[in-house]
Amino acid sequence: VGDTGGRVWRVDMQGADTTKWRATVLASIGRHASGSPDIDVDRRFFHRPDIVQSQDEKGLYDAVIIGSGNRPNPLDSGGLTRDFLYMIKDRRTVAGSGFDRNYQHGDFGDVTDNCLQAGTCSIDLVNGWRLGLEDQGEKALSTPLTINGKIFFTTYLPKAGTGATACSPSEGGGRLY
């Protein structure tokens, strides 16, 4: 589960004995990240992640896919916070095996540039990846959905009013990735 401080939590509820239940921090990629009190990292999570069981050369993992965006302030197009879609690899796939992994934003390979498909770069994807949203003020405001290995998610694009329409409300737009 994500929270409004930019943390992603893993919750293990193993059995009926609640003393064995625990919550651990899988990632801290928002304003509560260590050494990052600035507004430019004020990433927030308002929707549940999509969880996909997967495997790579290092073994099994649960892919935790979640997008950031400040839902209470959708028209904020100031661009102070850059939002992302994250795919976090939780390799502790056995119930009760979670611990405070506390990944940071820089621990994920940046796949925003399309160089992987072009074969012109090498990105470390061992912990997962991050995809920067394209436009200033763009934010993910819904739960992603993974079907047949493809992730679908929508974003909101605030539009700034200009001229005679500056005093009228801006509806903004959206994008499907």
Side-chain angles (χ1 to χ4, degrees):
V1 66
D3 69 20
T4 59
R7 282 182 252 151
V8 179
W9 296 84
R10 173 192 167 125
V11 179
D12 283 304
M13 295 183 283
Q14 185 177 5
D17 183 0
T18 59
T19 62
K20 293 183 180 179
W21 293 7
R22 68 177 163 191
T24 55
V25 178
L26 182 60
S28 186
I29 43 189
R31 64 181 175 208
H32 293 301
S34 61
S36 301
D38 300 324
I39 190 142
D40 63 334
V41 294
D42 190 15
R43 292 181 200 94
R44 302 173 187 208
F45 300 110
F46 284 88
H47 295 278
R48 68 175 182 81
D50 191 17
I51 311 293
V52 179
Q53 294 177 332
S54 194
Q55 180 175 345
D56 62 10
E57 65 279 352
K58 292 202 174 272
L60 298 173
Y61 65 90
D62 290 332
V64 180
I65 305 155
I66 191 166
S68 65
N70 189 350
R71 185 176 181 158
N73 194 6
L75 297 180
D76 175 26
S77 59
L80 295 176
T81 300
R82 180 143 187 234
D83 286 304
F84 288 81
L85 181 76
Y86 292 91
M87 191 283 285
I88 304 165
K89 293 181 180 179
D90 181 1
R91 296 191 183 276
R92 301 287 184 149
T93 58
V94 177
S97 65
F99 69 99
D100 284 332
R101 180 62 185 99
N102 208 18
Y103 288 121
Q104 303 293 307
H105 178 78
D107 291 330
F108 306 109
D110 190 350
V111 298
T112 305
D113 183 357
N114 215 14
C115 67
L116 281 177
Q117 288 80 2
T120 58
C121 70
S122 175
I123 299 173
D124 182 4
L125 303 175
V126 71
N127 300 324
W129 49 260
R130 67 181 191 260
L131 174 70
L133 303 184
E134 293 180 20
D135 289 341
Q136 182 175 344
E138 184 176 9
K139 51 196 61 67
L141 295 180
S142 65
T143 299
L145 176 64
T146 306
I147 302 172
N148 288 333
K150 292 181 174 48
I151 300 169
F152 298 89
F153 71 102
T154 58
T155 62
Y156 177 75
L157 300 155
K159 291 184 182 174
T162 59
T165 62
C167 293
S168 63
S170 173
E171 294 177 7
R175 183 173 282 148
L176 170 65
Y177 285 83

